[in-house]
């Protein structure tokens, strides 16, 4: 595409689910591609966070690529919910099968990128001290890739081993005979806790906020199960493309408040027994939009906790309050609550017993010193924006992305941010991202980006940028959809609440994967409505936007 052989068509950042597919798709479309990956292997988020018990919380049939029926047929998943190690093996297989490693430079971080207006290219600077020019920049950096350390004084003084779940060492540590402390009880903490309980001398859990944990009924897959799944892949994927969460799960419309207590109990018990991430949300249509309906689920799960945990004081500490069920991502585990019945597991409730500081021997709380040999920080990520804002990105007029996003990230459709032309964000803020099936969302975004680049090439267009007014309207729409749900009632990483000082704006688009996909397709079919397309340096008028965008603002129906 580029006339200048020294200018590459696309630089892809990252070699996880998104980066690999971007390399393949863009290369197949005839573009020259160079990818950079900070790690020394394939896998992205799964490469970094392969802590004990790390597993995906969607079923393997959904959390996998759909672009190649041959790949679907040949890959043998071992479990309903694959481990990080199995997902890495899968992604390595994908890289080898489609010869993607040729395009990847490992152990190399993209440190900076500057848009050179006179040439319509990005000048990219990498950690090996080199620079290169690219027409398009495609950060496929993932929403959960920059670990957030805990803000606890004295961490650097700890003399034992210390690890963050998001940067797990390649050489697996040993756990036997050790006193281990885990800080954080989100999805990562829960998985670490149920895996290490019983495998170390003593496990102490430091819990700031109790979470809702539902069973996942993970199990090995038999050849018959795999055969059945293969036979239905086509329909499963087709349905996933039009549903709210990007998985083949129908969402009902009826209210929990209209059902009898017996009907509700039957549905909730069924959701508990046949559990998966969306089980409870599939019981009734208003679980995520009506406080009273939501509280019925919350109390049902609290009862399960009271039944499971023998010590009433410990059970009480584990009861989640203060945010509606589902508005922080529920965790999946079949054994999480029962581990607290073990003598070698103890729970410190940080609300009543805060940490004072970390000391060389362990953690000092307001009730005294807890001696530890290993500290595990399961304290989450600078999610959704962190990976991009850690790159020094300068757009038109030298404007820094960090400055533009100082009050909160803004994008048009989660695909581009105005003033940063030819930079496509894969599953960026403002797209459904983590609130839909990520692998499905990634494919949808990469396909859209590749098709857009093909369109630009065919029409001799050098530059595409988001129209500012369209971006404003889209972000308003994102907020308007959230306001129809209970999601904004939680201090979650979806709105940056877990990172001190980060602007608090709900970033994932809740209008539903299917609706969103349709919106993106409609925009493309209308000649990239709401984007500004230009030849040379001369910007044409926006391909149109605001009026129809605002009219479209109702497209989401009920939020999720
Ligand atoms: P999460 O879900 O952000 O969980 C982080 C946990 O760490 C959560 O319990 C936090 O409590 C806790 N935390 C964070 N900072 C501190 C400090 N300073 N002290 C004590 N506790 C702290 O991250 P995960 O890695 O578990 O999961 C991320 C996503 O990966 C997940 O949603 C799935 O999509 C997969 P808080 O709730 O903030 O009070």
């Amino acid at each position: 595409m580029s006339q200048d052989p020294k200018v590459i068509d696309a630089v892809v950042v990252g070699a996880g689910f998104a980066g690999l597919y971007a390399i393949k798709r863009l290369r197949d479309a005839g573009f020259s591609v160079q990818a950079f990956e900070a790690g020394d292997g394939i896998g992205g988020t799964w490469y970094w966070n392969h802590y004990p018990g790390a597993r995906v919380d969607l079923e393997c049939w959904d959390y996998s690529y759909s672009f190649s029926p041959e790949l679907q047929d040949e890959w043998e998943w071992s479990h309903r919910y694959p481990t990080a190690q199995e997902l890495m093996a899968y992604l390595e297989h994908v890289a080898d099968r489609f010869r993607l490693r040729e395009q990847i430079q490992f152990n190399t971080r993209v440190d900076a990128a500057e848009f050179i207006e006179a040439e319509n290219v990005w000048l990219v600077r990498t950690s090996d001290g080199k620079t290169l020019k690219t027409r398009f920049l495609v950060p496929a950096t993932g929403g959960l890739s920059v670990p957030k350390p805990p803000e606890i004084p004295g961490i650097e003084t700890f003399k034992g081993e210390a690890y963050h779940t998001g940067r797990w060492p390649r050489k697996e540590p040993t756990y036997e005979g050790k006193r281990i402390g885990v800080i954080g009880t989100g999805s990562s903490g829960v998985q670490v806790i149920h895996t290490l309980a019983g495998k170390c001398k003593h496990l102490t859990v430091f819990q700031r906020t109790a979470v809702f944990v539902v069973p996942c009924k993970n199990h090995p897959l038999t050849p018959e199960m795999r055969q059945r799944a293969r036979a239905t892949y086509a329909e499963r994927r087709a349905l996933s493309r039009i549903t709210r969460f990007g998985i083949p799960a129908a969402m009902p419309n009826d209210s929990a408040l209209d059902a009898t207590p017996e009907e509700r109990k039957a549905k909730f018990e069924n959701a508990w027994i046949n559990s998966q991430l969306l089980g409870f949300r599939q019981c009734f249509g208003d679980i995520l939009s009506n406080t009273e309906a939501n509280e019925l689920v919350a109390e049902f799960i609290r009862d399960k906790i009271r039944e499971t945990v023998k010590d009433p004081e410990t059970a009480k500490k584990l009861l989640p309050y203060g945010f509606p069920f589902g508005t922080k991502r529920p965790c999946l585990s079949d054994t999480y609550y029962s581990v607290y019945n073990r003598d070698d597991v103890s729970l410190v409730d940080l609300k009543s017993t805060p940490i004072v500081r970390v000391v060389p021997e362990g953690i000092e709380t307001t009730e005294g010193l807890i001696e530890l040999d290993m500290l595990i920080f399961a304290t989450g990520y600078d999610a959704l924006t962190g990976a991009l804002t850690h790159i020094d990105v300068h757009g038109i007029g030298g404007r820094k992305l960090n400055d533009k996003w100082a009050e909160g990230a803004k994008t048009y459709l989660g695909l581009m941010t105005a003033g940063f032309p030819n930079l496509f964000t894969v599953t960026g803020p403002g797209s459904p991202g983590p609130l839909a099936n990520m692998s499905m969302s990634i494919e949808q975004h990469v396909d859209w980006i590749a098709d857009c680049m093909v369109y630009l090439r065919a029409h001799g267009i050098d530059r595409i940028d988001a129209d500012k007014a369209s971006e404003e309207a889209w972000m308003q729409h994102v907020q308007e959809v959230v306001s129809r749900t209970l999601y904004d009632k939680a201090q979650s990483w979806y709105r940056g609440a877990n990172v001190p000082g980060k602007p608090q704006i709900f970033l994932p688009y809740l209008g539903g994967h299917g609706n969103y996909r349709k919106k993106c397709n409609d925009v493309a079919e209308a000649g990239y409505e709401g984007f500004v397309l230009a030849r040379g340096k001369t910007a044409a008028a926006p391909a149109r936007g605001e009026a129809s965008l605002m009219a479209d603002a109702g497209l989401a129906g009920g939020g999720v």
Side-chain angles (χ1 to χ4, degrees):
M1 179 181 191
S2 171
Q3 304 304 310
D4 181 346
K6 287 200 252 22
V7 177
I8 203 125
D9 290 328
V11 160
V12 171
V13 190
F17 259 96
L20 292 182
Y21 186 50
I23 297 168
K24 170 159 184 3
R25 191 62 172 72
L26 295 176
R27 202 181 59 185
D28 288 354
F31 296 107
S32 55
V33 182
Q34 175 64 59
F36 295 102
E37 164 57 53
D40 68 1
I42 302 286
T45 293
W46 297 109
Y47 171 92
W48 297 106
N49 77 356
H50 61 282
Y51 54 80
R55 278 181 196 278
V56 64
D57 56 8
L58 291 181
E59 290 182 279
C60 56
W61 322 118
D62 302 316
Y63 191 76
S64 50
Y65 290 118
S66 71
F67 69 81
S68 163
E70 297 78 22
L71 174 66
Q72 279 181 168
D73 280 345
E74 74 200 14
W75 184 258
E76 303 265 302
W77 292 112
S78 78
H79 281 74
R80 186 182 183 198
Y81 299 98
T83 59
Q85 286 75 6
E86 186 165 1
L87 288 162
M88 264 168 61
Y90 169 73
L91 292 173
E92 279 167 11
H93 171 74
V94 169
D96 292 334
R97 191 188 198 288
F98 299 103
R99 292 180 300 100
L100 305 178
R101 289 180 201 265
E102 295 164 17
Q103 262 72 43
I104 307 169
Q105 182 176 323
F106 291 97
N107 296 307
T108 311
R109 198 169 270 291
V110 168
D111 286 334
E114 180 190 348
F115 188 68
I116 302 176
E117 290 175 63
E119 302 172 46
N120 281 324
V121 297
W122 282 94
L123 180 67
V124 172
R125 199 180 71 233
T126 46
S127 54
D128 56 358
K130 296 195 175 133
T131 55
L132 90 166
K133 287 182 178 174
T134 180
R135 295 243 7 250
F136 293 92
L137 183 58
V138 185
T141 37
L144 297 167
S145 43
V146 177
K148 185 205 84 87
E151 319 68 29
I152 302 172
I155 281 182
E156 66 294 344
T157 67
F158 182 60
K159 70 174 190 316
E161 299 162 76
Y163 308 110
H164 191 289
T165 46
R167 283 289 177 276
W168 205 252
R170 308 268 14 118
K171 187 173 177 317
E172 186 72 10
T174 60
Y175 310 105
E176 293 74 23
K178 292 181 180 166
R179 298 159 302 174
I180 300 179
V182 179
I183 301 182
T185 52
S187 301
S188 304
V190 164
Q191 291 181 331
V192 167
I193 293 159
H194 76 206
T195 305
L196 290 189
K199 294 200 176 73
C200 57
K201 187 173 178 193
H202 196 92
L203 190 69
T204 306
V205 177
F206 297 88
Q207 170 194 275
R208 187 162 74 181
T209 306
V211 276
F212 291 98
V213 182
V214 298
C216 61
K217 301 288 187 287
N218 189 29
H219 55 75
L221 297 170
T222 61
E224 294 71 40
M225 288 171 181
R226 281 195 283 266
Q227 206 37 52
R228 258 202 316 276
R230 282 187 182 119
T232 55
Y233 253 133
E235 303 97 84
R236 190 175 184 108
R237 303 293 199 182
L239 182 57
S240 299
R241 290 191 181 95
I242 57 171
T243 61
R244 191 173 284 181
F245 292 106
I247 60 174
M251 302 307 285
N253 289 318
D254 55 334
S255 168
L257 306 179
D258 292 338
T260 64
E262 294 72 29
E263 286 165 343
R264 281 198 295 262
K265 187 159 172 27
K267 282 200 177 186
F268 292 162
E269 284 291 352
N270 182 50
W272 186 260
I273 291 164
N274 300 305
S275 203
Q276 39 96 354
L277 189 62
L278 288 180
F280 281 97
R281 286 175 269 185
Q282 279 179 285
C283 289
F284 297 99
D286 55 356
I287 300 298
L288 290 174
S289 56
N290 182 303
T291 308
E292 226 181 304
N294 189 285
E295 182 56 21
L296 292 166
V297 174
E299 197 46 31
F300 176 88
I301 297 173
R302 289 186 203 116
D303 276 344
K304 291 289 181 193
I305 300 170
R306 293 181 188 107
E307 279 168 29
T308 309
V309 181
K310 292 191 183 124
D311 172 39
E313 274 310 303
T314 307
K316 204 169 158 199
K317 291 175 186 169
L318 288 165
L319 300 180
Y321 283 103
F323 61 96
F325 167 79
T327 57
K328 285 183 168 210
R329 197 174 176 99
C331 305
L332 297 190
S333 170
D334 292 322
T335 53
Y336 178 69
Y337 291 118
S338 59
V339 304
Y340 292 98
N341 294 332
R342 301 179 60 98
D343 293 337
D344 55 3
V345 175
S346 34
L347 177 67
V348 178
D349 174 25
L350 297 179
K351 290 215 161 76
S352 54
T353 313
I355 292 175
V356 178
R357 64 179 74 85
V358 178
V359 294
E361 300 75 28
I363 288 189
E364 198 180 305
T365 72
T366 49
E367 289 184 358
L369 173 68
I370 298 170
E371 291 189 28
L372 299 167
D373 304 302
M374 183 186 291
L375 247 179
I376 297 177
F377 305 116
T379 46
Y381 296 86
D382 181 355
L384 305 173
T385 55
L388 249 185
T389 55
H390 277 68
I391 302 174
D392 189 19
V393 182
H394 293 250
I396 287 178
R399 186 167 192 207
K400 282 182 77 152
L401 183 65
N402 277 347
D403 290 340
K404 174 174 174 183
W405 284 3
E407 304 296 317
K410 284 187 178 173
T411 69
Y412 177 43
L413 296 171
L415 281 161
M416 298 197 93
T417 185
F420 296 79
N422 296 2
L423 186 161
F424 292 109
T425 48
V426 184
T427 62
S431 76
L435 288 173
N437 172 1
M438 272 307 254
S439 63
M440 196 42 90
S441 296
I442 282 167
E443 285 187 330
Q444 182 252 331
H445 259 201
V446 170
D447 285 340
W448 191 97
I449 292 165
D451 290 344
C452 175
M453 284 172 57
V454 167
Y455 175 95
L456 301 179
R457 178 174 62 190
H459 290 80
I461 292 165
D462 302 302
R463 187 200 282 202
I464 181 167
D465 196 357
D467 169 48
K468 211 162 171 304
S470 304
E471 177 173 284
E472 289 295 333
W474 179 253
M475 293 316 284
Q476 267 178 32
H477 174 54
V478 170
Q479 298 312 314
E480 193 269 323
V481 178
V482 179
S483 72
R484 291 186 236 153
T485 75
L486 302 176
Y487 273 94
D488 224 16
K489 296 196 187 305
Q491 296 296 308
S492 68
W493 57 259
Y494 300 141
R495 63 198 306 272
N498 64 327
V499 178
K502 189 167 173 172
Q504 300 225 359
I505 293 176
F506 196 93
L507 290 176
Y509 177 55
L510 280 170
H513 175 84
N515 289 327
Y516 171 79
R517 177 186 290 268
K518 181 175 180 317
K519 175 72 192 168
C520 292
N521 289 346
D522 290 349
V523 160
E525 271 159 32
Y528 294 91
E529 189 176 41
F531 289 93
V532 184
L533 277 47
R535 290 191 180 81
K537 274 195 355 166
T538 325
R544 240 279 324 110
E546 295 139 82
S548 72
L549 246 180
M550 297 312 284
D552 287 348
L555 97 166
V560 286

